[in-house]
Amino acid sequence: MKLKTVILAGTALAFAGSAALAKDLTLVSWGGAYQSSQKNAYTDPYTAANPDVNVIWDESSAEAVAKLRAMNEAGNVTWDLVDVVASDAIRLCDEGLAMEINPDTDLAAAPDGTPASEDFGDLLVSECFIPQIVYSTTFGYRSDIDAWGGKEPTEICDIFDLETFPGKRSLEKRPINNMEWALLCDGVPKEDVYTVLETEEGQDQAFKKLDSIKDNVVWWSAGAETPQLLADKEVVIGSTYNGRLFALIEEQKQPVKMLWDAQVFDLDGWIIPAGLPEDRLAEVKKLVMYATDTQRLADQAKYISYGPARKSSAPLVGKHASLGIDMAPHMPTDPNNAKNTFLYNYEWWADYRDDIDAKFQAWLAQ
Amino acid sequence: MSDTTQDGQVLTTQDGRPLKAALGRALFREKLRAFLLVAPLLIFILITFVAPIIDMLHRSVENSIVEETLPKTVVALQEWDSGSGDVPDEVVFAALYDDMVIAVDEKTHTRLGSRLNYEQSGISSLFRKTGRRIKRMDEGEPLKDQFLAADKKWGDVTTWQVLKQFSPSYTGGYFLNAFDAKLGPEGVELKPADERIYLFLFGRTLFLSTVITLSCLLLGYPIAFLLAALPLRTSNLLMILVLLPFWTSLLVRTSAWKVLLQQQGVINDFLVWINLISDSGRLVMINNQTGTIIAMTHILLPFMILPLYSVMKTISPTYVRAAKSLGANDWTAFWRVYFPQSVPGIGAGAVLVFILSIGYYITPELVGGTSGIFISNRIAYHISSSLNWGLAAALGTLLLVAVLVLFVVYDKIVGIDNVKLG
């Protein structure tokens, strides 16, 4: 059923694409608040300056990897620029579906002349990846739970403490992050997490820790679920992307607080599909050069609480465009929030994802 | 039949042509016209239905990537005994070097790495890392040592066993995987218990689909009976009530069940309010099997009611009246006379609901939690996230075979001519 959808979608897109004009650019993103922050910060000013360019948005990032592969097999790639998380960018690069870039020639230097490769630094995790934002997966909790007797969770291991903090939790329905948190709270030092997780015993240890709360977990697969579950009081603590929690707390004024402890940083950014014709590629490169410069990345933070991926953008982060509050304290990278962070090991997960995911699903189904 | 008369004369039409040829031509023209009329649909089905299925069947066994990326290595490996316990010798490493240089140039080595990583964790980074080192290797020096220096996994026999096992262009590996099995040293064996998932999920999919079909039948039969018995005007009105949810978006209906069934939801609130359950004892009706069964029964109910209704509509009320006038009571008249005539509708509805539910994936994903998900959720995962399309194709093929087998069994037990949509 799904395969057919992919093929049909691919065909439909192929038809849509062939009718497009030379200056149409198809950008793929996640929809929602995130996509509109990109539209506001990147493409609206760009099309204002270049009236002949027409940007078309496609909200397919969640299926981008599969769709790009289908398009590539069909020999007709209709997307020009695709927003994906870093792990997907690595996968696309490995599969030869994304184009390798040279940061210093394809991306703008910082205003003070620092080359892009230095300005982005370690965040250039793949030869194909153009980082935009740093986001984190972290926890939000309700601050009005009577059963907690006035206590509030302060550290990651409170997730596993059902006695002090009874109630349901929501966790993502995949092993990534959950396995790491479980090991951290089972006494494994941060720097050893992945070496432990590489062994059979380490995986069992993580599952055993997760077993202790399994009956109290609601598993989510879309980022919007945890905010909804928190707002409905269906869960008392839940993990999701920090921007979703910001919207819940600051825009919807729900009695929810952030637990930044052991937040897991992740990256989101662009890839350029491999095999674009010269003329389209030239247009895309112009847009990328503009949309990932220091000012544009800083501008995006006006609309959503994700940290810009350039070092030089950080001092330029200002106030929220409509709420008027300072955005810096809401960034996952803010020193107050980033006291204890966990670095996600992309390379490791690229190797072990298939294996551990099978085990995780088997564990879930038990 | 013969086209000659008794005295051997050929029958002709009025203008003297042989009758057989004239008839044949007329029939051919008729057939051609009929064929041309169905041709658009036929072509459409061939392109959108038959071709994807053949492609899926092909993908579930296709495995030419190893041979295409590492042609020399595959040939060199034929000499190597994978049961020997030793890593291949210099000849194989030299072949690997030649292949890798080309593969890195064409950037196909990481692709092969991702493919083989499905079979053995770690091969993905092995190829990525080796790809980065290959340019610095010296052809004149012993290559085995240089590969081992690049990554010690090249010195691991299992890496080579996997490479050899998956070097043919066709593999049964995806199907083994789909059966929770793998090829061990002593032949096919089941995977360790903590990795088995697919057989279990197939079983659950069949079980839940059966439960959903039965609950659709239980709920749908009385409604269809009522609709068929009422005067047309009233039944049309009620029919709209049946069809209304049918016209509503699937996602809206599924989300509505979330609002109703969740622990802080409408039903639980009501039960607490009338003091039937305590506030701490709220029922868990969603994110588990119950949620999947309730939501899917609701979504698939019209597919049961409609065929039932159209069959019941054709059952003449005179049969039941006759049975009663001959002395049958209400139950006997229904069970012995009415019910057997409605069986074709039950057959059609049950097959329809069962086959639809076996491939469902959105609703279980949204309301199924962990205990209410189907095999199709794993297929979707392998299509869109892990990109293991071979395994997804193998799972899809198994699902297709399961449906076909059930169809044959159904034909044997009930008889397929006993299915009527109206």
PDB file of all heavy atoms in Angstrom, chain A residues 2 69 73 91 94 100 173 219 221 232 234 351 355 357 361, chain B residues 59 107 110-111 117 121 125 128 262-264 361 365 370 378 386:
ATOM      1  N   LYS A   2       1.895   1.206   0.883  1.00  0.00           N
ATOM      2  CA  LYS A   2       2.759   2.366   1.013  1.00  0.00           C
ATOM      3  C   LYS A   2       3.625   2.528  -0.233  1.00  0.00           C
ATOM      4  O   LYS A   2       3.802   3.624  -0.737  1.00  0.00           O
ATOM      5  CB  LYS A   2       3.628   2.152   2.253  1.00  0.00           C
ATOM      6  CG  LYS A   2       4.478   3.335   2.627  1.00  0.00           C
ATOM      7  CD  LYS A   2       3.647   4.488   3.148  1.00  0.00           C
ATOM      8  CE  LYS A   2       4.570   5.673   3.384  1.00  0.00           C
ATOM      9  NZ  LYS A   2       3.897   6.845   3.848  1.00  0.00           N
ATOM     10  N   ARG A  69      14.675   8.638  -3.284  1.00  0.00           N
ATOM     11  CA  ARG A  69      15.175   7.409  -3.890  1.00  0.00           C
ATOM     12  C   ARG A  69      14.266   6.971  -5.035  1.00  0.00           C
ATOM     13  O   ARG A  69      14.738   6.553  -6.089  1.00  0.00           O
ATOM     14  CB  ARG A  69      15.251   6.317  -2.829  1.00  0.00           C
ATOM     15  CG  ARG A  69      15.662   5.009  -3.410  1.00  0.00           C
ATOM     16  CD  ARG A  69      16.555   4.258  -2.457  1.00  0.00           C
ATOM     17  NE  ARG A  69      16.385   2.835  -2.625  1.00  0.00           N
ATOM     18  CZ  ARG A  69      16.821   1.939  -1.757  1.00  0.00           C
ATOM     19  NH1 ARG A  69      17.414   2.336  -0.678  1.00  0.00           N
ATOM     20  NH2 ARG A  69      16.666   0.677  -1.970  1.00  0.00           N
ATOM     21  N   GLU A  73      15.377   6.681  -8.909  1.00  0.00           N
ATOM     22  CA  GLU A  73      15.236   5.460  -9.696  1.00  0.00           C
ATOM     23  C   GLU A  73      14.440   5.721 -10.962  1.00  0.00           C
ATOM     24  O   GLU A  73      14.682   5.116 -11.999  1.00  0.00           O
ATOM     25  CB  GLU A  73      14.571   4.359  -8.863  1.00  0.00           C
ATOM     26  CG  GLU A  73      15.537   3.734  -7.891  1.00  0.00           C
ATOM     27  CD  GLU A  73      14.952   2.499  -7.212  1.00  0.00           C
ATOM     28  OE1 GLU A  73      13.856   2.055  -7.610  1.00  0.00           O
ATOM     29  OE2 GLU A  73      15.604   2.001  -6.291  1.00  0.00           O
ATOM     30  N   ARG A  91      22.428   9.411   5.348  1.00  0.00           N
ATOM     31  CA  ARG A  91      21.893   8.289   4.590  1.00  0.00           C
ATOM     32  C   ARG A  91      21.786   8.632   3.105  1.00  0.00           C
ATOM     33  O   ARG A  91      22.183   7.855   2.241  1.00  0.00           O
ATOM     34  CB  ARG A  91      20.503   7.946   5.141  1.00  0.00           C
ATOM     35  CG  ARG A  91      20.110   6.515   4.983  1.00  0.00           C
ATOM     36  CD  ARG A  91      18.772   6.284   5.661  1.00  0.00           C
ATOM     37  NE  ARG A  91      18.936   5.793   7.019  1.00  0.00           N
ATOM     38  CZ  ARG A  91      18.870   4.494   7.343  1.00  0.00           C
ATOM     39  NH1 ARG A  91      18.655   3.601   6.418  1.00  0.00           N
ATOM     40  NH2 ARG A  91      19.006   4.105   8.581  1.00  0.00           N
ATOM     41  N   ASP A  94      25.222   8.729   1.602  1.00  0.00           N
ATOM     42  CA  ASP A  94      25.708   7.358   1.400  1.00  0.00           C
ATOM     43  C   ASP A  94      25.074   6.715   0.183  1.00  0.00           C
ATOM     44  O   ASP A  94      25.715   5.959  -0.545  1.00  0.00           O
ATOM     45  CB  ASP A  94      25.365   6.493   2.627  1.00  0.00           C
ATOM     46  CG  ASP A  94      26.363   6.672   3.748  1.00  0.00           C
ATOM     47  OD1 ASP A  94      27.339   7.403   3.520  1.00  0.00           O
ATOM     48  OD2 ASP A  94      26.165   6.099   4.826  1.00  0.00           O
ATOM     49  N   GLU A 100      27.344  16.308  -3.049  1.00  0.00           N
ATOM     50  CA  GLU A 100      28.366  16.782  -2.109  1.00  0.00           C
ATOM     51  C   GLU A 100      28.617  18.258  -2.372  1.00  0.00           C
ATOM     52  O   GLU A 100      28.606  18.704  -3.511  1.00  0.00           O
ATOM     53  CB  GLU A 100      29.654  15.991  -2.296  1.00  0.00           C
ATOM     54  CG  GLU A 100      29.544  14.584  -1.766  1.00  0.00           C
ATOM     55  CD  GLU A 100      30.849  13.817  -1.816  1.00  0.00           C
ATOM     56  OE1 GLU A 100      31.894  14.453  -1.999  1.00  0.00           O
ATOM     57  OE2 GLU A 100      30.794  12.585  -1.674  1.00  0.00           O
ATOM     58  N   LYS A 173       8.711   6.608  19.638  1.00  0.00           N
ATOM     59  CA  LYS A 173       8.645   5.186  19.322  1.00  0.00           C
ATOM     60  C   LYS A 173       9.838   4.770  18.460  1.00  0.00           C
ATOM     61  O   LYS A 173       9.684   4.333  17.325  1.00  0.00           O
ATOM     62  CB  LYS A 173       7.335   4.905  18.578  1.00  0.00           C
ATOM     63  CG  LYS A 173       6.853   3.464  18.703  1.00  0.00           C
ATOM     64  CD  LYS A 173       5.779   3.145  17.696  1.00  0.00           C
ATOM     65  CE  LYS A 173       4.407   3.613  18.151  1.00  0.00           C
ATOM     66  NZ  LYS A 173       3.355   3.251  17.204  1.00  0.00           N
ATOM     67  N   TRP A 219       3.773   5.956  23.509  1.00  0.00           N
ATOM     68  CA  TRP A 219       4.826   6.113  22.495  1.00  0.00           C
ATOM     69  C   TRP A 219       4.350   7.005  21.368  1.00  0.00           C
ATOM     70  O   TRP A 219       3.268   6.793  20.818  1.00  0.00           O
ATOM     71  CB  TRP A 219       5.256   4.750  21.946  1.00  0.00           C
ATOM     72  CG  TRP A 219       5.768   3.850  23.013  1.00  0.00           C
ATOM     73  CD1 TRP A 219       5.061   2.916  23.699  1.00  0.00           C
ATOM     74  CD2 TRP A 219       7.096   3.824  23.547  1.00  0.00           C
ATOM     75  NE1 TRP A 219       5.870   2.298  24.628  1.00  0.00           N
ATOM     76  CE2 TRP A 219       7.120   2.837  24.555  1.00  0.00           C
ATOM     77  CE3 TRP A 219       8.266   4.528  23.267  1.00  0.00           C
ATOM     78  CZ2 TRP A 219       8.275   2.541  25.289  1.00  0.00           C
ATOM     79  CZ3 TRP A 219       9.406   4.225  23.985  1.00  0.00           C
ATOM     80  CH2 TRP A 219       9.403   3.252  24.984  1.00  0.00           C
ATOM     81  N   SER A 221       4.993   9.043  17.538  1.00  0.00           N
ATOM     82  CA  SER A 221       5.791   8.998  16.318  1.00  0.00           C
ATOM     83  C   SER A 221       5.807  10.337  15.585  1.00  0.00           C
ATOM     84  O   SER A 221       6.611  10.534  14.692  1.00  0.00           O
ATOM     85  CB  SER A 221       5.314   7.880  15.395  1.00  0.00           C
ATOM     86  OG  SER A 221       3.925   7.834  15.335  1.00  0.00           O
ATOM     87  N   ASP A 232      -3.618  17.804  27.090  1.00  0.00           N
ATOM     88  CA  ASP A 232      -4.803  17.026  27.496  1.00  0.00           C
ATOM     89  C   ASP A 232      -4.633  16.375  28.860  1.00  0.00           C
ATOM     90  O   ASP A 232      -5.513  15.658  29.312  1.00  0.00           O
ATOM     91  CB  ASP A 232      -5.070  15.908  26.477  1.00  0.00           C
ATOM     92  CG  ASP A 232      -5.612  16.444  25.171  1.00  0.00           C
ATOM     93  OD1 ASP A 232      -5.950  17.632  25.125  1.00  0.00           O
ATOM     94  OD2 ASP A 232      -5.698  15.665  24.198  1.00  0.00           O
ATOM     95  N   GLU A 234      -2.935  13.880  29.363  1.00  0.00           N
ATOM     96  CA  GLU A 234      -2.818  12.435  29.161  1.00  0.00           C
ATOM     97  C   GLU A 234      -1.479  11.931  29.684  1.00  0.00           C
ATOM     98  O   GLU A 234      -1.372  10.802  30.120  1.00  0.00           O
ATOM     99  CB  GLU A 234      -2.919  12.106  27.669  1.00  0.00           C
ATOM    100  CG  GLU A 234      -4.324  11.952  27.142  1.00  0.00           C
ATOM    101  CD  GLU A 234      -5.033  10.715  27.661  1.00  0.00           C
ATOM    102  OE1 GLU A 234      -4.545   9.620  27.404  1.00  0.00           O
ATOM    103  OE2 GLU A 234      -6.065  10.865  28.323  1.00  0.00           O
ATOM    104  N   ASP A 351      25.312   2.827  11.786  1.00  0.00           N
ATOM    105  CA  ASP A 351      25.693   1.415  11.802  1.00  0.00           C
ATOM    106  C   ASP A 351      24.680   0.538  12.516  1.00  0.00           C
ATOM    107  O   ASP A 351      24.387  -0.565  12.081  1.00  0.00           O
ATOM    108  CB  ASP A 351      27.040   1.253  12.517  1.00  0.00           C
ATOM    109  CG  ASP A 351      28.208   1.453  11.592  1.00  0.00           C
ATOM    110  OD1 ASP A 351      27.968   1.483  10.379  1.00  0.00           O
ATOM    111  OD2 ASP A 351      29.340   1.571  12.077  1.00  0.00           O
ATOM    112  N   ASP A 355      19.755  -2.813  13.344  1.00  0.00           N
ATOM    113  CA  ASP A 355      19.825  -3.903  14.293  1.00  0.00           C
ATOM    114  C   ASP A 355      19.050  -3.575  15.562  1.00  0.00           C
ATOM    115  O   ASP A 355      18.177  -4.327  16.007  1.00  0.00           O
ATOM    116  CB  ASP A 355      21.314  -4.122  14.606  1.00  0.00           C
ATOM    117  CG  ASP A 355      21.552  -5.420  15.324  1.00  0.00           C
ATOM    118  OD1 ASP A 355      20.727  -6.327  15.128  1.00  0.00           O
ATOM    119  OD2 ASP A 355      22.529  -5.508  16.086  1.00  0.00           O
ATOM    120  N   ASP A 357      16.924  -1.197  16.077  1.00  0.00           N
ATOM    121  CA  ASP A 357      15.512  -0.916  15.849  1.00  0.00           C
ATOM    122  C   ASP A 357      14.688  -2.207  15.841  1.00  0.00           C
ATOM    123  O   ASP A 357      13.596  -2.257  16.398  1.00  0.00           O
ATOM    124  CB  ASP A 357      15.325  -0.168  14.537  1.00  0.00           C
ATOM    125  CG  ASP A 357      13.970   0.477  14.489  1.00  0.00           C
ATOM    126  OD1 ASP A 357      13.812   1.543  15.098  1.00  0.00           O
ATOM    127  OD2 ASP A 357      13.048  -0.117  13.894  1.00  0.00           O
ATOM    128  N   GLN A 361      11.706  -2.818  18.456  1.00  0.00           N
ATOM    129  CA  GLN A 361      10.329  -3.139  18.074  1.00  0.00           C
ATOM    130  C   GLN A 361       9.884  -4.458  18.691  1.00  0.00           C
ATOM    131  O   GLN A 361       8.739  -4.595  19.115  1.00  0.00           O
ATOM    132  CB  GLN A 361      10.196  -3.195  16.555  1.00  0.00           C
ATOM    133  CG  GLN A 361      10.441  -1.877  15.852  1.00  0.00           C
ATOM    134  CD  GLN A 361       9.483  -0.785  16.285  1.00  0.00           C
ATOM    135  OE1 GLN A 361       8.365  -1.058  16.697  1.00  0.00           O
ATOM    136  NE2 GLN A 361       9.917   0.457  16.220  1.00  0.00           N
TER     137      GLN A 361
ATOM    138  N   ARG B  59      12.036  -7.116  -6.421  1.00  0.00           N
ATOM    139  CA  ARG B  59      12.865  -6.484  -5.405  1.00  0.00           C
ATOM    140  C   ARG B  59      13.115  -7.375  -4.198  1.00  0.00           C
ATOM    141  O   ARG B  59      14.114  -7.240  -3.505  1.00  0.00           O
ATOM    142  CB  ARG B  59      12.189  -5.219  -4.900  1.00  0.00           C
ATOM    143  CG  ARG B  59      12.614  -3.987  -5.635  1.00  0.00           C
ATOM    144  CD  ARG B  59      11.777  -2.826  -5.159  1.00  0.00           C
ATOM    145  NE  ARG B  59      11.728  -1.782  -6.155  1.00  0.00           N
ATOM    146  CZ  ARG B  59      12.685  -0.880  -6.309  1.00  0.00           C
ATOM    147  NH1 ARG B  59      13.730  -0.901  -5.522  1.00  0.00           N
ATOM    148  NH2 ARG B  59      12.574   0.035  -7.237  1.00  0.00           N
ATOM    149  N   LYS B 107      31.347   6.731  -6.189  1.00  0.00           N
ATOM    150  CA  LYS B 107      30.604   6.925  -4.928  1.00  0.00           C
ATOM    151  C   LYS B 107      29.519   5.869  -4.737  1.00  0.00           C
ATOM    152  O   LYS B 107      28.409   6.170  -4.324  1.00  0.00           O
ATOM    153  CB  LYS B 107      29.996   8.324  -4.885  1.00  0.00           C
ATOM    154  CG  LYS B 107      31.039   9.410  -4.911  1.00  0.00           C
ATOM    155  CD  LYS B 107      30.446  10.746  -4.540  1.00  0.00           C
ATOM    156  CE  LYS B 107      31.497  11.825  -4.561  1.00  0.00           C
ATOM    157  NZ  LYS B 107      31.885  12.223  -5.924  1.00  0.00           N
ATOM    158  N   THR B 110      29.481   3.530  -0.443  1.00  0.00           N
ATOM    159  CA  THR B 110      28.665   3.756   0.753  1.00  0.00           C
ATOM    160  C   THR B 110      27.286   3.136   0.578  1.00  0.00           C
ATOM    161  O   THR B 110      26.662   2.698   1.536  1.00  0.00           O
ATOM    162  CB  THR B 110      28.516   5.255   1.016  1.00  0.00           C
ATOM    163  OG1 THR B 110      28.177   5.908  -0.201  1.00  0.00           O
ATOM    164  CG2 THR B 110      29.791   5.849   1.559  1.00  0.00           C
ATOM    165  N   ARG B 111      26.857   3.096  -0.661  1.00  0.00           N
ATOM    166  CA  ARG B 111      25.553   2.496  -0.954  1.00  0.00           C
ATOM    167  C   ARG B 111      25.590   0.996  -0.653  1.00  0.00           C
ATOM    168  O   ARG B 111      24.670   0.433  -0.058  1.00  0.00           O
ATOM    169  CB  ARG B 111      25.247   2.731  -2.426  1.00  0.00           C
ATOM    170  CG  ARG B 111      23.814   2.603  -2.725  1.00  0.00           C
ATOM    171  CD  ARG B 111      23.519   3.182  -4.076  1.00  0.00           C
ATOM    172  NE  ARG B 111      22.101   3.057  -4.294  1.00  0.00           N
ATOM    173  CZ  ARG B 111      21.487   3.564  -5.339  1.00  0.00           C
ATOM    174  NH1 ARG B 111      22.142   4.235  -6.235  1.00  0.00           N
ATOM    175  NH2 ARG B 111      20.194   3.403  -5.469  1.00  0.00           N
ATOM    176  N   ASN B 117      24.774  -3.416   5.615  1.00  0.00           N
ATOM    177  CA  ASN B 117      24.556  -3.123   7.029  1.00  0.00           C
ATOM    178  C   ASN B 117      23.230  -3.715   7.532  1.00  0.00           C
ATOM    179  O   ASN B 117      23.064  -3.961   8.715  1.00  0.00           O
ATOM    180  CB  ASN B 117      24.579  -1.613   7.251  1.00  0.00           C
ATOM    181  CG  ASN B 117      24.883  -1.249   8.685  1.00  0.00           C
ATOM    182  OD1 ASN B 117      25.951  -1.557   9.194  1.00  0.00           O
ATOM    183  ND2 ASN B 117      23.928  -0.625   9.349  1.00  0.00           N
ATOM    184  N   SER B 121      25.524  -5.289  11.398  1.00  0.00           N
ATOM    185  CA  SER B 121      25.752  -3.931  11.878  1.00  0.00           C
ATOM    186  C   SER B 121      27.230  -3.590  11.818  1.00  0.00           C
ATOM    187  O   SER B 121      28.063  -4.409  12.196  1.00  0.00           O
ATOM    188  CB  SER B 121      25.279  -3.791  13.318  1.00  0.00           C
ATOM    189  OG  SER B 121      23.894  -3.819  13.340  1.00  0.00           O
ATOM    190  N   SER B 125      29.714   1.794   8.299  1.00  0.00           N
ATOM    191  CA  SER B 125      30.856   2.669   8.600  1.00  0.00           C
ATOM    192  C   SER B 125      32.149   2.064   8.095  1.00  0.00           C
ATOM    193  O   SER B 125      33.092   2.772   7.768  1.00  0.00           O
ATOM    194  CB  SER B 125      30.943   2.941  10.095  1.00  0.00           C
ATOM    195  OG  SER B 125      31.272   1.767  10.782  1.00  0.00           O
ATOM    196  N   ARG B 128      32.388   3.292   4.594  1.00  0.00           N
ATOM    197  CA  ARG B 128      32.584   4.743   4.573  1.00  0.00           C
ATOM    198  C   ARG B 128      34.028   5.078   4.961  1.00  0.00           C
ATOM    199  O   ARG B 128      34.702   5.867   4.309  1.00  0.00           O
ATOM    200  CB  ARG B 128      31.598   5.409   5.526  1.00  0.00           C
ATOM    201  CG  ARG B 128      31.203   6.814   5.059  1.00  0.00           C
ATOM    202  CD  ARG B 128      30.184   7.479   5.968  1.00  0.00           C
ATOM    203  NE  ARG B 128      28.982   6.706   6.137  1.00  0.00           N
ATOM    204  CZ  ARG B 128      28.507   6.323   7.332  1.00  0.00           C
ATOM    205  NH1 ARG B 128      29.146   6.647   8.446  1.00  0.00           N
ATOM    206  NH2 ARG B 128      27.394   5.632   7.418  1.00  0.00           N
ATOM    207  N   GLN B 262      -9.420   8.511  24.989  1.00  0.00           N
ATOM    208  CA  GLN B 262      -8.243   8.665  25.842  1.00  0.00           C
ATOM    209  C   GLN B 262      -8.621   8.780  27.313  1.00  0.00           C
ATOM    210  O   GLN B 262      -9.786   8.942  27.658  1.00  0.00           O
ATOM    211  CB  GLN B 262      -7.372   9.832  25.381  1.00  0.00           C
ATOM    212  CG  GLN B 262      -8.039  11.182  25.456  1.00  0.00           C
ATOM    213  CD  GLN B 262      -7.150  12.279  24.871  1.00  0.00           C
ATOM    214  OE1 GLN B 262      -6.071  12.020  24.396  1.00  0.00           O
ATOM    215  NE2 GLN B 262      -7.621  13.496  24.925  1.00  0.00           N
ATOM    216  N   GLN B 263      -7.601   8.673  28.178  1.00  0.00           N
ATOM    217  CA  GLN B 263      -7.905   8.562  29.608  1.00  0.00           C
ATOM    218  C   GLN B 263      -8.542   9.819  30.166  1.00  0.00           C
ATOM    219  O   GLN B 263      -9.315   9.747  31.111  1.00  0.00           O
ATOM    220  CB  GLN B 263      -6.642   8.206  30.377  1.00  0.00           C
ATOM    221  CG  GLN B 263      -6.311   6.731  30.217  1.00  0.00           C
ATOM    222  CD  GLN B 263      -5.312   6.259  31.237  1.00  0.00           C
ATOM    223  OE1 GLN B 263      -4.143   6.583  31.151  1.00  0.00           O
ATOM    224  NE2 GLN B 263      -5.756   5.497  32.206  1.00  0.00           N
ATOM    225  N   GLN B 264      -8.198  10.964  29.602  1.00  0.00           N
ATOM    226  CA  GLN B 264      -8.867  12.200  30.006  1.00  0.00           C
ATOM    227  C   GLN B 264      -9.944  12.542  28.972  1.00  0.00           C
ATOM    228  O   GLN B 264     -10.306  13.696  28.794  1.00  0.00           O
ATOM    229  CB  GLN B 264      -7.868  13.349  30.103  1.00  0.00           C
ATOM    230  CG  GLN B 264      -6.674  13.075  30.998  1.00  0.00           C
ATOM    231  CD  GLN B 264      -7.039  12.983  32.456  1.00  0.00           C
ATOM    232  OE1 GLN B 264      -7.963  13.649  32.904  1.00  0.00           O
ATOM    233  NE2 GLN B 264      -6.346  12.147  33.199  1.00  0.00           N
ATOM    234  N   TYR B 361      -2.755   0.718   7.756  1.00  0.00           N
ATOM    235  CA  TYR B 361      -1.583   1.123   8.521  1.00  0.00           C
ATOM    236  C   TYR B 361      -1.701   2.472   9.214  1.00  0.00           C
ATOM    237  O   TYR B 361      -1.146   2.660  10.289  1.00  0.00           O
ATOM    238  CB  TYR B 361      -0.340   1.017   7.628  1.00  0.00           C
ATOM    239  CG  TYR B 361       0.307   2.290   7.218  1.00  0.00           C
ATOM    240  CD1 TYR B 361       1.437   2.736   7.888  1.00  0.00           C
ATOM    241  CD2 TYR B 361      -0.204   3.043   6.194  1.00  0.00           C
ATOM    242  CE1 TYR B 361       2.039   3.911   7.518  1.00  0.00           C
ATOM    243  CE2 TYR B 361       0.404   4.210   5.818  1.00  0.00           C
ATOM    244  CZ  TYR B 361       1.512   4.653   6.480  1.00  0.00           C
ATOM    245  OH  TYR B 361       2.097   5.809   6.113  1.00  0.00           O
ATOM    246  N   GLU B 365      -1.290   2.936  13.384  1.00  0.00           N
ATOM    247  CA  GLU B 365      -0.161   3.793  13.752  1.00  0.00           C
ATOM    248  C   GLU B 365      -0.610   4.877  14.736  1.00  0.00           C
ATOM    249  O   GLU B 365       0.082   5.201  15.688  1.00  0.00           O
ATOM    250  CB  GLU B 365       0.413   4.438  12.483  1.00  0.00           C
ATOM    251  CG  GLU B 365       1.629   5.321  12.686  1.00  0.00           C
ATOM    252  CD  GLU B 365       2.891   4.546  13.032  1.00  0.00           C
ATOM    253  OE1 GLU B 365       3.069   3.454  12.469  1.00  0.00           O
ATOM    254  OE2 GLU B 365       3.674   5.034  13.867  1.00  0.00           O
ATOM    255  N   THR B 370       1.618   0.217  21.107  1.00  0.00           N
ATOM    256  CA  THR B 370       2.596  -0.804  20.753  1.00  0.00           C
ATOM    257  C   THR B 370       1.927  -2.148  20.538  1.00  0.00           C
ATOM    258  O   THR B 370       2.430  -2.972  19.781  1.00  0.00           O
ATOM    259  CB  THR B 370       3.641  -0.961  21.862  1.00  0.00           C
ATOM    260  OG1 THR B 370       2.950  -1.252  23.076  1.00  0.00           O
ATOM    261  CG2 THR B 370       4.433   0.300  22.034  1.00  0.00           C
ATOM    262  N   ARG B 378       5.345  -1.973   9.914  1.00  0.00           N
ATOM    263  CA  ARG B 378       6.767  -2.280   9.735  1.00  0.00           C
ATOM    264  C   ARG B 378       7.155  -2.131   8.268  1.00  0.00           C
ATOM    265  O   ARG B 378       8.250  -1.706   7.948  1.00  0.00           O
ATOM    266  CB  ARG B 378       7.086  -3.710  10.203  1.00  0.00           C
ATOM    267  CG  ARG B 378       7.036  -3.924  11.686  1.00  0.00           C
ATOM    268  CD  ARG B 378       7.702  -2.851  12.478  1.00  0.00           C
ATOM    269  NE  ARG B 378       9.155  -2.846  12.414  1.00  0.00           N
ATOM    270  CZ  ARG B 378       9.899  -1.797  12.733  1.00  0.00           C
ATOM    271  NH1 ARG B 378       9.330  -0.674  13.098  1.00  0.00           N
ATOM    272  NH2 ARG B 378      11.189  -1.861  12.671  1.00  0.00           N
ATOM    273  N   SER B 386      14.016   3.123   6.993  1.00  0.00           N
ATOM    274  CA  SER B 386      15.269   2.376   6.938  1.00  0.00           C
ATOM    275  C   SER B 386      15.725   2.160   5.503  1.00  0.00           C
ATOM    276  O   SER B 386      16.864   1.764   5.276  1.00  0.00           O
ATOM    277  CB  SER B 386      15.113   1.031   7.642  1.00  0.00           C
ATOM    278  OG  SER B 386      14.477   0.112   6.800  1.00  0.00           O
TER     279      SER B 386
END
